[in-house]
Amino acid sequence: MRLTRIAAVAVVAALALGAAACGGDDDKSSSNKFPAGSTMAKLADAGKIKIGTKFDQPLFGLKGLDGKPAGFDVEIAKILTKELGIKDDNIEWVESPSKVREDYIQQDKVSLVVATYTINDARKEKVSFAGPYFTAGQDILVRKDDDSISGPESFQAGDKKVCSVTGSTPAKNIEQYLKDKTAQLVLFDVYSKCLDALKAKQVDAITTDNVILSGFQSQNPDAVKLLGQPFTREPYGIGVKKDDKQFRDWINDVLEAAFKDGRYKTAWDATLGTNVKMPTALTVQRY
Amino acid sequence: MEVFSDKLDVFWNGFLGTVQMCLLAAVGALILGALVAVLRISPIPPLRAVGTAYVTVFRNVPLTVVMFFAAFALPLLGSDASFLKIPGLRDVIKPLGTDLPYFRFATIALTLYTTAFVCEALRSGIGAVPLGQAEAARSLGLSFTQNLRHVVLPQAWKLAIVPLGSVIIAMVKNSALAAAFGVIVTLMGVVDELVSQQYYDAVPVFLGVAVGFLILTIPLGLLLDMVERSQKKVATR
Amino acid sequence: MNSVLYDAPGPRTRLITIIASIVAVPVLAYAAYRWIYVPLDQHHQFDGKIWAPIVNPGNQYFPMVWDRWQTGWLNTLKAAGLSIVASLIVGSLLALLRRQLLELRIFRMSPLKRLGLNSTRSATRTWVEVWRGTPVVTTLFFVFMVLPVWGIDFDDRLWFLVIGLTLYNSVVIGEILRSGMDGLPAGQREAAFAVGLRPWQTSWLVLYPQALRVMLPSLISQVVVILKDTSLGGLIISYEEALGVSKQMVEAFHSYNIDIGIPMYFSVGVMYIVVNYALSKLAQYLQKRLSKSGYKAVEPPVTALVSQAEASAA
């Protein structure tokens, strides 16, 4: 039953995207659309792009069985590439785990990174961010029958174990609430392993952005529950080369336009739709 | 380079974690390896088959796969490896006693994997004892156990020391993989903490981690070289 | 059967062996049932739902799974092949270099040359000790994170994997070959000198070819190690080799609510065993052919055993 529903959603999304692609085809003369020498003009002229995303992040960027990444991050990136007149086939997706994202931008391995990339000041010293296109909050997922954890403060006693992902902001955030990191924190490379560990009672909680956690909850409604009280704000931005203000501003313009004309909603519904309610407004940071 | 003055305790804790895991796995693998070696040379065919199968499997599967199984199949089988919370020992080796089982899982995986190679090292030792030794012992009328105890094993043990040492060195290096399976208290966990989370320059951190491993591996290697050279001298005399 | 331990069995021993075997089989079978089958079954690990994508060609996911595996295994073999060739070449050069440094006579040199030689010797020695003593995991991660910062960069992650594996394995192979050359009977080298060969000609034409043959078992183990170590590519630098794609597929199946972890890793484990087993059988066959073609193998020196044990455990 569930599978057919997902399939239906996917088909609808594909049709919608297909329609969008057809609509975008007529403004093919992209090079004179952008100021000469700008990153946009260069990319549009090249007709191809490298985009960093995650391959193992459900809902945002997950490499499917067909070998192609799918998720909200991927759809957001595709909105941008359509504006640049780049065909989907000419996008090269580069797997960008948390620990290499800044390096990849600095070394020009990718033109932009859309990879559940939280905007913060430490990162702003190395790269620049457009967006946020999405704001998550860090939350906690526990087993359904467990009422002993009510928030991050529950970890201060030192007897509860929590799982997150290496090199991620949530892992860093939760550390200040822990009494003994060695005995309480376990870090995997992907969140699905945390879910296995939670179900097998090896850990008592998973902490990360609420969207990822609601994805897990919707897959396992009988086993886990979400506390639903985010204790941080995690604005997801699009990482670009530091101080490429022109490119950043252009991305922000596209994001705002996409939010207004419904392309953002299409992307949302196709990927996050069933899990989280879409926000009513999108406020990008221009700096 | 300021990472060394700022975060020396992080390096030290990681080093300690690696040493603890290696000690446990070494002891475990030596015991289990001896058992599997007994199976492999036993006169009873089904037991021999089990020993051979064990060695074939673990020699040909990457340690990564073994770790995957320890970390995800063991919990599925309903175990959190709490049998390793040995009273007394867990007070000395703290990560063993915590409720977080991944240190134990990684240790189990490392032990099971190394066991196969310990078994082979022991077997190569026995195989290297000249046949004439056993034949002479038997013709003197020594029984099977006497033959084993007084003639074969003392020589086999000496011949196995060097390969065993090499296996242990390899095991120390293999323990680095544990960091990828939720064990943050080892040397490779240091890289993750300092480079990925605290944005320290990667080069000095790697240097520190490498030095940590070299402190463990190089002296062991030199010791083995010495043992080997003295054995060679005896052999050529 | 190991004849150091056992004499040829008499009728009584044979009887005991048969009885023990008959007892052992059901005991082993019960143990496997009780501690492996039952717990797995209780946790629904034998459900058709999680095995069908792998074993049932009619399953909707089946073609995709095997397609991904094909990609993964091709990448594994590509990385392994390149690393093996590179390690053999670099390792041989390293062994010949160290051999040459050993042959150079120190007493006929000017102090400056002597200093140069000594520092080259200790430099190569340090190079060997450092890369041999550092885990491949660390080396690989280092290559991946630091080389691009130093301006050595590749688009294809394959090359990071090949460089990382070569750094480690060339040193190990170099030491295998060097100890092989050192372990040859001294007469070989002396005879070569006597017919007027220079030191490097002696090493390259006389000692090296023999060391290759003597050390073949160790080299084979090391080749298997290289193939196994490519699996670190998926975990550490996100290279899409066989284990890496399996990991990705486990994630992908999660979103279809199929916990395919155990079947997936079990299957890929079996594939590794098959590939590595085939590889070592092939190498053994080659070795037999070598020894048949008129060449009588020298007994491997003790050092061969050492490097074999070390190699096969890495």
Side-chain angles (χ1 to χ4, degrees), chain B residues 62-179:
Chain B
L63 177 59
T64 327
V65 175
V66 183
M67 288 243 177
F68 266 119
F69 265 96
F72 304 109
L74 276 182
L76 208 67
L77 298 178
S79 164
D80 67 349
S82 48
F83 65 88
L84 277 177
K85 290 185 184 176
I86 303 155
L89 193 62
R90 70 173 176 213
D91 299 322
V92 184
I93 299 179
K94 288 264 159 50
L96 203 59
T98 63
D99 288 331
L100 209 54
Y102 289 95
F103 183 86
R104 298 196 292 273
F105 288 158
T107 309
I108 288 176
L110 194 59
T111 306
L112 291 179
Y113 185 77
T114 311
T115 292
F117 299 97
V118 168
C119 165
E120 288 304 87
L122 291 174
R123 217 168 58 98
S124 77
I126 292 173
V129 174
L131 193 55
Q133 296 281 331
E135 283 169 353
R138 277 197 286 270
S139 50
L140 282 175
L142 267 64
S143 72
F144 177 71
T145 40
Q146 280 174 326
N147 178 9
L148 217 59
R149 179 158 165 1
H150 296 292
V151 179
V152 175
L153 283 188
Q155 299 186 59
W157 174 239
K158 270 191 202 134
L159 289 167
I161 282 185
V162 174
L164 270 181
S166 308
V167 168
I168 298 300
I169 293 178
M171 188 204 72
V172 171
K173 290 184 279 176
N174 286 334
S175 75
L177 199 52

Side-chain angles (χ1 to χ4, degrees), chain B:
Chain B
M1 283 294 162
E2 79 282 356
V3 65
F4 292 124
S5 46
D6 292 0
K7 298 287 171 186
L8 198 64
D9 57 322
V10 178
F11 283 102
W12 175 243
N13 284 336
F15 181 73
L16 224 57
T18 293
V19 169
Q20 292 176 337
M21 178 178 288
C22 290
L23 278 178
L24 288 172
V27 172
L30 284 176
I31 296 171
L32 281 179
L35 285 176
V36 178
V38 167
L39 286 183
R40 265 208 94 168
I41 58 175
S42 89
I44 301 158
L47 295 183
R48 216 160 53 221
V50 170
T52 311
Y54 184 96
V55 172
T56 309
V57 166
F58 282 90
R59 275 186 78 155
N60 289 303
V61 165
L63 177 59
T64 327
V65 175
V66 183
M67 288 243 177
F68 266 119
F69 265 96
F72 304 109
L74 276 182
L76 208 67
L77 298 178
S79 164
D80 67 349
S82 48
F83 65 88
L84 277 177
K85 290 185 184 176
I86 303 155
L89 193 62
R90 70 173 176 213
D91 299 322
V92 184
I93 299 179
K94 288 264 159 50
L96 203 59
T98 63
D99 288 331
L100 209 54
Y102 289 95
F103 183 86
R104 298 196 292 273
F105 288 158
T107 309
I108 288 176
L110 194 59
T111 306
L112 291 179
Y113 185 77
T114 311
T115 292
F117 299 97
V118 168
C119 165
E120 288 304 87
L122 291 174
R123 217 168 58 98
S124 77
I126 292 173
V129 174
L131 193 55
Q133 296 281 331
E135 283 169 353
R138 277 197 286 270
S139 50
L140 282 175
L142 267 64
S143 72
F144 177 71
T145 40
Q146 280 174 326
N147 178 9
L148 217 59
R149 179 158 165 1
H150 296 292
V151 179
V152 175
L153 283 188
Q155 299 186 59
W157 174 239
K158 270 191 202 134
L159 289 167
I161 282 185
V162 174
L164 270 181
S166 308
V167 168
I168 298 300
I169 293 178
M171 188 204 72
V172 171
K173 290 184 279 176
N174 286 334
S175 75
L177 199 52
F181 292 87
V183 185
I184 53 174
V185 289
T186 55
L187 271 170
M188 274 309 278
V190 172
V191 174
D192 203 78
E193 171 157 3
L194 295 183
V195 179
S196 305
Q197 292 193 49
Q198 302 188 17
Y199 295 104
Y200 277 98
D201 198 9
V203 177
V205 174
F206 274 110
L207 206 67
V209 169
V211 166
F213 277 109
L214 294 176
I215 288 176
L216 294 172
T217 53
I218 289 185
L220 257 173
L222 292 179
L223 192 73
L224 284 185
D225 281 352
M226 262 165 56
V227 173
E228 193 191 337
R229 235 172 279 144
S230 69
Q231 281 182 353
K232 237 190 210 161
K233 255 186 221 149
V234 173
T236 49
R237 201 165 47 199

